[in-house]
Amino acid sequence: GAGVSQSPSNKVTEKGKDVELRCDPISGHTALYWYRQSLGQGLEFLIYFQGNSAPDKSGLPSDRFSAERTGGSVSTLTIQRTQQEDSAVYLCASRLGPDSSYEQYFGPGTRLTVT
Amino acid sequence: DQQVKQNSPSLSVQEGRISILNCDYTNSMFDYFLWYKKYPAEGPTFLISISSIKDKNEDGRFTVFLNKSAKHLSLHIVPSQPGDSAVYFCAASVRSGGGADGLTFGKGTHLIIQP
């Protein structure tokens, strides 16, 4: 079946604008994760969803970042009043469920550039 | 404080030889470890994993070794092939509530296979 998809693939925005990044997980996967990878860094965990609820938001770097998930499927990561340090590749991953194997399956990412 | 460390940013290996990628961790609560492979402009792809109850897991040309006392794991690829050229990320997870936590990643090692 189809893998994890993300849109847009690239986004250039001006500092101070809001952006929305979208993730479509693998069908049937109830667990969904957002990560970001800044230049030269590893992947940094942002937030985890189980179904529509987010039991772990510990990785969100500031209150400008928020995420939601509706219908247990599509998730949107919103960054308000973007700053240059928000420039990174934002990756989404999904997993079958909390009792399944630990492997997470990643989408291709959205490259965000804040000018 | 980096909990998962990959101290070699890059590694060059001749085709046909063994590639050994290393990873160290500091959090003794980690009990599941994964290796991901990433090509440019793509999301990470799951490669192989190991639970802390084992010290070795093998899948074809890929073997992961875990030394819990040293908090060290390594990925061996033999024989190395040109298509193995990619960035390899080590990741770790803590089992809690079914292992729902986000993965903690190292910064990656860029493996280059020389013909």
Side-chain angles (χ1 to χ4, degrees), chain B:
Chain B
D1 176 36
Q2 253 198 302
Q3 297 187 63
V4 177
K5 300 178 184 178
Q6 294 178 257
N7 292 321
S8 298
S10 67
L11 175 68
S12 185
V13 174
Q14 203 165 15
E15 182 179 356
R17 303 281 184 137
I18 184 171
S19 296
I20 300 176
L21 296 97
N22 293 303
C23 177
D24 297 289
Y25 61 96
T26 58
N27 188 344
S28 57
M29 298 296 291
F30 287 144
D31 57 7
Y32 197 81
F33 304 90
L34 307 91
W35 284 94
Y36 281 83
K37 175 180 178 179
K38 187 180 185 300
Y39 293 118
E42 295 183 11
T45 303
F46 169 72
L47 199 55
I48 192 168
S49 62
I50 188 166
S51 163
S52 60
I53 62 173
K54 295 185 176 181
D55 55 17
K56 177 183 175 181
N57 188 26
E58 189 172 355
D59 184 3
R61 296 185 299 114
F62 303 91
T63 304
V64 55
F65 295 93
L66 175 63
N67 182 336
K68 282 181 62 180
S69 60
K71 293 191 178 68
H72 177 83
L73 65 155
S74 60
L75 174 68
H76 293 210
I77 306 172
V78 56
S80 301
Q81 299 175 353
D84 296 331
S85 295
V87 177
Y88 289 78
F89 290 98
C90 172
S93 177
V94 176
R95 277 202 191 116
S96 64
D101 293 4
L103 298 173
T104 301
F105 283 83
K107 291 188 178 182
T109 296
H110 185 192
L111 176 65
I112 301 162
I113 305 301
Q114 306 276 9

Side-chain angles (χ1 to χ4, degrees), chain A residues 7-99:
Chain A
S7 61
S9 54
N10 281 284
K11 177 72 178 178
V12 180
T13 190
E14 291 180 355
K15 178 181 171 181
K17 302 277 190 181
D18 298 352
V19 294
E20 282 190 355
L21 312 179
R22 177 188 167 105
C23 171
D24 273 286
I26 293 172
S27 177
H29 281 198
T30 62
L32 185 147
Y33 304 78
W34 283 99
Y35 295 84
R36 74 174 176 182
Q37 184 181 17
S38 302
L39 191 63
Q41 302 296 313
L43 280 72
E44 173 192 9
F45 168 73
L46 298 178
I47 189 169
Y48 154 67
F49 285 92
Q50 179 53 44
N52 291 337
S53 63
D56 189 354
K57 303 180 182 179
S58 62
L60 293 178
S62 77
D63 58 9
R64 296 186 295 105
F65 287 72
S66 63
E68 65 174 14
R69 188 179 185 195
T70 55
S73 182
V74 172
S75 176
T76 303
L77 177 69
T78 301
I79 309 172
Q80 295 178 309
R81 306 181 301 282
T82 51
Q83 304 294 313
Q84 287 186 332
E85 61 262 27
D86 300 333
S87 296
V89 176
Y90 288 81
L91 290 152
C92 175
S94 71
R95 178 170 160 234
L96 187 57
D99 298 322

